[in-house]
Each structure stands twice: as structure tokens, then as C-alpha cells.
Amino acid sequence: MTGLSVVSINKLIELLELKDILTVDFTNTRGRRAKTYQINYQAYTLGALQLHEVHDYIKANYSLIDLSGKIISQTHYEENITSVEQLLEFIKQRTAQSKPQKIIVGIPGDELNGYLQLIDVKALRGIKLSKAIEVSTDIDTIIVNDINACIFGAASSLHESQNIAAGIYFPKLYGPGVGIVINDQLITGADGLAGEIQYGTVDQNESPKDQIIDHLRNIISLINPNLLIAYIDELNLTDLEINQIIQTLHRHLPLHQNYKLDFNRNFQDDYLFGLATIGRNIIFKKLSGN
């Protein structure tokens, strides 16, 4: 299957054993004793931190995840995040108990040129968050936009990541954001600002329903996605309003018929799954590079 020789495979297996990625056992087959190998998914762990809006506050969830994607433990930080020191202390407490090989942080904003910008948490603006976490914990850290992680998670779980998938998240107090996945790659743009549609031309004085229609219409007409997910839980729209949105889109875009529009995905679930998938992919890539 690999095209490698038996000698090469045996050498690689020995290397994987040394790195504790493979565990060895023995079994009897027709009177012969044979080795069996299993992946040790606990050999490396990932710390996934979600910053998210809950009832007008920014809170944090921390999850420790193994290489299979299994959640080993979870901790919810119930206080409002108001300072970087507060956030760093929470991360230090969690990683001191079980130190992961990597930390991935999802934020409602973007890290540009190493600094947090366009972030909804005012106290974190202008902070080199990944660097601050690395200094505090001695753990390699990466920052990912929340909706980017979310749509990557949804596209992966729905097997749409090889196609064109887009997601748009409407928080209660802040502007919406869009994430785009094409051919299993997140599209971040030349400046890292792809999906920052708050800078678009949709009139923010319109009703929430009309703004959603305009945003969805722009996304569908621009990239013609296979999958488009609208995360609207925070807006408390009725089933009637959602149906009106769908009918309006069909009326304005009669030629666009092959996309799937989904209003029922859970933002937090896709968010965590996306962080776990991106983080694990990075760990696997580093391991294969070594």
C-alpha cells in the first residue's frame, strides 16, 4: 500500500515505537507468534481553548484532546474575560495538570503580524497572545479565528472539506464573520482578513433578517459553495423568518440550485471539532516531517 520496502517499513515502525506512537502486542496465528501494532493516541495531546460570547460576556472553554480527537477533560471558565493576565493564569492552571504538546486557541477575531486585531475582547487587542502563552507555558501555540475553526470542523464532519464550504456566524453583540474552506484548505486572504464581512456593504441598520439575506446572497453569488452554514442561534429567529430567508434566496438566485443551506448546526460543537482537527493535523504533519 505504501510502496515502501519491508526493510524501510521495519525501520519506520521502530522509529514510531521509540516515539511511543505505536504500541506492540503479540498474538498467536496458526501456531506462530506474531507482533501486532496499535496507534497510541495518548502519546501526544492537544490543548484547545475556545473564547466565545455567552450572554454579553466573553468566556473560555479548555479541552484536552488526544490524537484520535477524543476529549480527555474539559474545563469551563465561568468568569468574563477582561484581561490577558486572567486568561494566561487560566491556561497555566489547566496545562500544569497535564501538559499538551501544542495549544490551539480560537478567538473571535484575527491575529495579524503576530498581534491580536479585530478582536471582540477589548483587553486582548494589540496583544501577542500566542507568544504570551508560549512564554507562560513553554508550549507551542497557534491562534485560529473562531468561524474559520467552526466551518473547518463542520466541513470535515460532513465530508465537504474537499469541496467549497462556507460558514457565517452572527453573534449577538458583534458583527458577523465568515469562514471559507476550499479543497481542505482554509482561505484566509492576502492580509489574513478573508471573511471580515463587517467591512462589506450590507446595511447594518437593516433588520437582522434582511442583513442575513444580504450576506447569504453575497456569499452564494460570489463563491457558489457546495455547503453554506448560517449560525444564527444568538438571534432567536423564528421558523417562519428562517423559511422567509430561504424563499427570498431562491427567488433572487434561481440558477443556484446545488448548494446545501444549513441553519441547524451547533456553533460550539463545530468550533471545538474544528480546533481539534486543525491542531491534530498540525501535530501529525510535524510528526511525519520528523
Side-chain angles (χ1 to χ4, degrees):
M1 289 174 66
T2 63
L4 298 172
S5 68
V6 173
V7 173
S8 295
I9 289 173
N10 285 335
K11 288 182 178 179
L12 290 170
I13 286 176
E14 289 178 4
L15 180 61
L16 292 171
E17 286 184 68
L18 289 173
K19 290 179 175 289
D20 293 325
I21 298 170
L22 286 183
T23 58
V24 183
D25 202 351
F26 295 91
T27 186
N28 293 320
T29 58
R30 297 182 180 179
R32 298 180 60 186
R33 197 162 183 254
K35 280 186 177 181
T36 61
Y37 299 91
Q38 288 186 326
I39 295 176
N40 177 18
Y41 288 111
Q42 287 74 45
Y44 293 83
T45 55
L46 171 74
L49 181 72
Q50 298 166 267
L51 295 183
H52 57 100
E53 177 191 351
V54 178
H55 303 306
D56 306 344
Y57 293 100
I58 298 295
K59 297 192 176 182
N61 291 342
Y62 178 84
S63 302
L64 185 66
I65 300 167
D66 69 16
L67 287 181
S68 72
K70 179 183 177 181
I71 298 174
I72 301 171
S73 63
Q74 276 188 314
T75 306
H76 304 287
Y77 190 70
E78 298 299 336
E79 297 182 32
N80 186 26
I81 303 295
T82 58
S83 70
V84 65
E85 291 80 12
Q86 179 188 18
L87 184 61
L88 290 176
E89 183 60 30
F90 172 62
I91 297 171
K92 286 170 63 176
Q93 290 175 1
R94 302 274 55 83
T95 55
Q97 296 178 5
S98 183
K99 187 175 182 179
Q101 275 64 43
K102 188 176 289 291
I103 296 173
I104 184 167
V105 181
I107 62 168
D110 288 289
E111 189 174 58
L112 305 177
N113 301 318
Y115 295 90
L116 289 186
Q117 300 181 48
L118 308 175
I119 185 166
D120 299 333
V121 188
K122 293 182 180 179
L124 299 182
R125 290 177 189 170
I127 299 293
K128 287 187 174 182
L129 185 59
S130 57
K131 185 66 176 179
I133 295 173
E134 289 172 6
V135 170
S136 297
T137 64
D138 193 32
I139 302 171
D140 184 42
T141 301
I142 56 174
I143 306 294
V144 180
N145 172 265
D146 56 355
I147 184 59
N148 280 347
C150 198
I151 188 58
F152 195 86
S156 299
S157 64
L158 294 172
H159 307 291
E160 290 284 359
S161 59
Q162 294 297 322
N163 296 315
I164 302 175
I168 180 168
Y169 174 48
F170 294 92
K172 184 177 181 181
L173 297 179
Y174 306 101
V178 170
I180 303 169
V181 175
I182 300 178
N183 293 330
D184 209 27
Q185 296 292 322
L186 276 169
I187 305 303
T188 56
D191 297 296
L193 293 171
E196 292 292 343
I197 57 171
Q198 59 182 309
Y199 299 113
T201 59
V202 172
D203 187 355
Q204 298 183 11
N205 293 318
E206 290 183 329
S207 68
K209 185 186 75 173
D210 289 336
Q211 288 187 51
I212 291 171
I213 291 171
D214 290 343
H215 284 306
L216 295 181
R217 184 177 175 183
N218 287 339
I219 294 169
I220 295 169
S221 61
L222 184 63
I223 64 174
N224 191 21
N226 302 82
L227 171 69
L228 177 55
I229 299 174
Y231 297 96
I232 57 172
D233 291 353
E234 298 288 338
L235 302 182
N236 297 318
L237 296 182
T238 65
D239 291 341
L240 176 61
E241 288 175 311
I242 293 173
N243 188 59
Q244 289 172 340
I245 291 171
I246 295 172
Q247 296 304 317
T248 302
L249 290 173
H250 287 166
R251 187 167 63 253
H252 286 294
L253 300 168
L255 298 180
H256 295 73
Q257 299 181 4
N258 293 317
Y259 67 91
K260 178 183 177 182
L261 181 59
D262 193 333
F263 288 92
N264 297 314
R265 300 288 299 183
N266 182 278
F267 179 80
Q268 295 300 333
D269 290 346
D270 286 344
Y271 188 5
L272 179 57
F273 187 74
L275 289 177
T277 303
I278 294 169
R280 286 161 53 227
N281 286 348
I282 292 172
I283 292 175
F284 283 129
K285 186 175 181 179
K286 184 176 181 180
L287 288 173
S288 63
N290 291 337

